[in-house]
Amino acid sequence: MGSVHIPSPAEIEHAAALLRAGKLVAFPTETVYGLGANALDVDAVARIFAAKGRPGSSPIIVHVSDMDMVRRVAAEWPATAQSLAQKFWPGALTLVLKKQSAIPALVTAGLDSVGVRMPSHPVARALIEAAGLPIGAPSANRFTQLSPTTAEHVRQGLGDRVDYILDGGPCTVGIESTVLSLAGEVPILLRPGGISRSQIEAVIGPVSQQTTASAEAHPSPGMHPRHYSPRTKLLLVRNGQVPDSGMGAYLQLHQPPKRQVRDIVLMPSDAAEYAVWLYGTLHQLDSQNYDWIAVEAPDNSPAWEAVCDRLQRAASDMK
Ligand code: TXA
Ligand code: MG
């Protein structure tokens, strides 16, 4: 998956200075690469939307490096947030909380809440700390395309739309953070991700599922059906049932394909391991000009919730 690269302190300082100057910096996190800008600077945040081609109705996660910064971003810190942060921060969990007024409406798509995440990746932490600013960052891909898990994916997807790319090697979680709202009466899981629902429920008790109605009231890019897609048609299949015509690749979990295919990728049978490899594998196959990519659908058991969510969004029948 590529070699680990540690940016020098000078590179980190250069990237931090660009962020302070309102520029865009792509940086590694443990989940996926983020496209970062000063979350307090509305012009800088507007550049994120322009670079991604992302509609303004999609709120952006604000990344912090310490609890002082959390207080600059979130106006409320409920006991559930404290318990979850103690257990899962820094890490792949985004908490949606009532926002401070200093956070521009563009960051939160006009909502009075803000998504806050303290990433664990050492490069992300060093960058945010050096910038001394909360950093707004969606995944560093064009809107609706696959999220990047290497610096090379960012280069291919965004090119010179980003002012600087910090290369911290491949991401170790591989899919986006779990997004949990603590801004309402009850905790709501807005997007399954790197921290599983059962891990969260073990700390704060049952969490609700987002309903379609609330999805419309609170626009979530992670909730767009057409999201995380490779350009190649992606099919979710069972029992090795790959298409009869055309040339393609097969992501195998347990069952071999029923007929010969150009490429078979044996995927890990552990959900977290599968997540690590998923986007990288799809990026790689997407560059092969196949007619289709057939993915053996995992059983939708709790451990596979996040992977199944991403596969369903990437599947072509959703478009
Ligand atoms: O792992 C990740 O979360 C990555 C890395 C870079 O941190 N970021 C990421 O950002 O995936 P993005 O923009 O691709 O997805 C942001 C998710 C969306 O599902 C969005 O709806 C939700 O966070 N979100 C952010 N702020 C929100 C808010 N105030 N209310 C509801 N959902 C929010
Ligand atoms: Mg994204």
Side-chain angles (χ1 to χ4, degrees):
M1 293 187 75
S3 59
V4 177
H5 175 96
I6 310 292
S8 68
E11 280 176 273
I12 300 270
E13 191 37 59
H14 176 65
L18 288 171
L19 287 172
R20 284 193 298 268
K23 305 283 190 197
L24 298 185
V25 173
F27 63 96
T29 82
E30 66 279 19
T31 58
V32 300
Y33 274 70
L35 179 61
N38 177 359
L40 306 174
D41 176 345
V42 69
D43 296 326
V45 173
R47 279 184 205 115
I48 294 180
F49 284 91
K52 277 183 70 91
R54 172 164 167 153
S57 59
S58 296
I60 283 178
I61 294 171
V62 176
H63 297 69
V64 297
S65 55
D66 58 42
M67 287 307 296
D68 279 344
M69 226 181 248
V70 174
R71 284 183 273 275
R72 287 165 69 189
V73 174
E76 288 176 11
W77 185 248
T80 45
Q82 179 61 28
S83 311
L84 290 168
Q86 240 160 28
K87 181 90 184 169
F88 300 116
W89 275 7
L93 176 66
T94 296
L95 298 177
V96 173
L97 301 158
K98 287 268 180 295
K99 82 174 192 78
Q100 289 284 10
S101 54
I103 302 296
L106 185 58
V107 171
T108 63
L111 300 170
D112 65 356
S113 61
V114 60
V116 187
R117 177 158 109 78
M118 190 184 286
S120 65
H121 196 294
V123 175
R125 292 174 66 75
L127 175 67
I128 300 163
E129 223 173 274
L133 291 165
I135 302 300
S139 49
N141 52 292
R142 298 274 290 162
F143 184 60
T144 77
Q145 292 185 355
L146 277 178
S147 292
T149 53
T150 65
E152 187 51 34
H153 296 156
V154 180
R155 239 170 256 125
Q156 283 163 9
L158 291 175
D160 57 12
R161 291 167 172 268
V162 47
D163 296 299
Y164 193 67
I165 302 173
L166 270 178
D167 186 347
C171 302
T172 54
V173 173
I175 58 172
E176 296 85 347
S177 65
T178 303
V179 180
L180 182 77
S181 174
L182 298 176
E185 300 278 291
V186 293
I188 302 175
L189 186 71
L190 297 177
R191 179 178 72 182
I195 304 289
S196 73
R197 175 197 294 272
S198 58
Q199 282 177 291
I200 291 169
E201 292 187 330
V203 177
I204 60 164
V207 301
S208 305
Q209 187 69 41
Q210 188 183 41
T211 62
T212 317
S214 65
E216 276 156 22
H218 304 278
S220 303
M223 295 293 158
H224 274 259
R226 193 181 166 216
H227 207 62
Y228 313 113
S229 317
R231 283 179 305 269
T232 313
K233 183 162 70 165
L234 188 145
L235 306 162
L236 274 175
V237 304
R238 292 177 193 280
N239 305 316
Q241 299 287 0
V242 297
D244 292 328
S245 60
M247 223 174 46
Y250 180 65
L251 266 65
Q252 177 175 331
L253 203 47
H254 307 293
Q255 299 246 17
K258 283 271 157 62
R259 75 170 189 90
Q260 209 161 14
V261 298
R262 229 347 137 74
D263 203 352
I264 298 181
V265 181
L266 289 175
M267 296 298 284
S269 56
D270 172 78
E273 277 297 308
Y274 189 107
V276 173
W277 290 92
L278 178 61
Y279 289 146
T281 302
L282 293 179
H283 273 286
Q284 203 266 324
L285 294 175
D286 207 16
S287 64
Q288 304 296 311
N289 291 314
Y290 289 133
D291 300 308
W292 40 262
I293 300 169
V295 179
E296 182 180 357
D299 287 333
N300 201 352
S301 58
W304 289 85
E305 186 177 14
V307 166
C308 286
D309 172 79
R310 300 309 189 274
L311 286 175
Q312 273 150 20
R313 288 176 204 289
S316 297
D317 57 3
M318 298 290 291
K319 288 176 195 167

